[in-house]
Amino acid sequence: MKLICYLSNGYPSLEESAKIAGIYAEGGCDIIEIDLPSRDPYLESEYIAGRMASALSACDDYERYMENILKIRAEHPRVRLIVLCYENTVLEIGVEKFADFCLNNGLEDLIFVGLSDETAKNRLIERGMRVSCYVQFPMHPEEVESAKQSNGFVYMQAKPGPGQINPEYPTLADCIRHLRESGISREIYCGVGVSTPEDFKMVQQSGGDGAFVGSTVLKLYNKPEELKATIQAFKRADQH
């Protein structure tokens, strides 16, 4: 199963984030979810939003962020990259320019958030981008249908919040089974609440193709050895 670690592009600096990507790779991370920091990351936690704001205060040139993504890709060709980007950021860069950048550099997979409508998303899909679709734990029929119609991986909520359990699909394994029985053959990556190797193992046992790990690794940026060891511990959980 794939271990997907979130990387704050440009935090604490572009150079340092590239070094941290190297630690991710050394630890055994399979996929890096790398962002283009948004000027209005209204869907993020205060923690992530603060990192984006700090990055942009140090460098507000998206060209340099895109260059950093290419640097990381070149230095760690074994590690796949998934780009996380807000609609407001793509519109600032330019939809066509952003699509050209991604498609010309093998970065087809996109987590695209903060949509005002479907225009930019549909254009990116027309250009050949694979846009992920988020499905919450309650398994709302409209979200399952949207996932069926999407062309990217399914981002499945790994753990339910209060009152989110659907009695028809009470466990993550039940949710994933329902998605598969609905005809979805694309990757199902699970995130939100995956903070320990035990959580990672739970996703693997539930039938997930990968799991996102965020704050657990983000909080270790200033402890490189512990960061590497933590990533290795997640990978070991997949082997037992």
Side-chain angles (χ1 to χ4, degrees):
M1 190 177 75
K2 303 299 185 185
L3 173 62
I4 310 165
C5 296
Y6 183 87
L7 181 72
S8 294
N9 192 7
Y11 181 88
S13 68
L14 288 163
E15 295 74 18
E16 286 301 312
S17 60
K19 291 179 182 177
I20 291 164
I23 297 172
Y24 283 10
E26 290 173 13
C29 173
D30 300 293
I31 302 173
I32 293 176
E33 175 192 1
I34 185 167
D35 66 27
L36 284 172
S38 170
R39 302 190 195 282
D40 182 20
Y42 62 92
L43 296 175
E44 305 304 323
S45 65
E46 184 177 343
Y47 182 72
I48 298 293
R51 282 173 169 249
M52 289 186 173
S54 178
L56 287 169
S57 68
C59 175
D60 66 355
D61 183 355
Y62 283 122
E63 292 283 351
R64 292 190 59 197
Y65 286 95
M66 292 190 287
E67 289 170 1
N68 206 42
I69 290 174
L70 297 186
K71 171 183 169 67
I72 291 168
R73 183 175 178 274
E75 291 179 347
H76 311 289
R78 183 194 66 80
V79 182
R80 180 176 154 207
L81 300 183
I82 293 175
V83 177
L84 164 68
C85 202
Y86 271 73
E87 180 190 67
N88 53 52
T89 303
V90 169
L91 293 178
E92 181 175 339
I93 294 170
V95 175
E96 301 302 331
K97 180 177 179 179
F98 177 76
D100 287 341
F101 164 74
C102 292
L103 296 169
N104 291 340
N105 293 289
L107 301 166
E108 292 88 356
D109 293 296
L110 177 66
I111 299 175
F112 194 41
V113 297
L115 307 189
S116 58
D117 57 39
E118 299 289 303
T119 304
K121 173 186 172 182
N122 289 340
R123 180 55 184 158
L124 291 171
I125 291 174
E126 288 172 4
R127 287 292 312 275
M129 298 290 293
R130 296 190 293 259
V131 180
S132 69
C133 186
Y134 186 58
V135 177
Q136 298 180 80
F137 210 92
M139 301 296 285
H140 301 300
E142 64 274 15
E143 292 184 351
V144 174
E145 183 60 31
S146 181
K148 289 168 61 178
Q149 300 303 320
S150 179
N151 71 336
F153 66 85
V154 176
Y155 193 136
M156 177 70 213
Q157 183 179 351
K159 288 185 175 182
Q164 281 196 311
I165 294 179
N166 183 333
E168 292 188 53
Y169 316 107
T171 69
L172 179 60
D174 294 320
C175 294
I176 292 174
R177 187 179 305 111
H178 179 60
L179 292 174
R180 292 301 186 203
E181 291 174 350
S182 298
I184 295 171
S185 58
R186 288 166 279 113
E187 297 100 329
I188 298 176
Y189 296 147
C190 304
V192 183
V194 180
S195 59
T196 66
E198 291 73 25
D199 293 332
F200 187 76
K201 184 67 174 178
M202 180 273 294
V203 172
Q204 188 270 333
Q205 293 174 336
S206 298
D209 297 301
F212 290 91
V213 179
S215 60
T216 298
V217 293
L218 294 176
K219 292 177 179 178
L220 296 175
Y221 272 25
N222 61 345
K223 300 177 180 179
E225 291 303 317
E226 186 176 346
L227 173 57
K228 181 178 176 180
T230 297
I231 293 171
Q232 290 172 332
F234 274 92
K235 286 300 295 180
R236 284 197 300 272
D238 185 37
Q239 299 166 5
H240 297 89

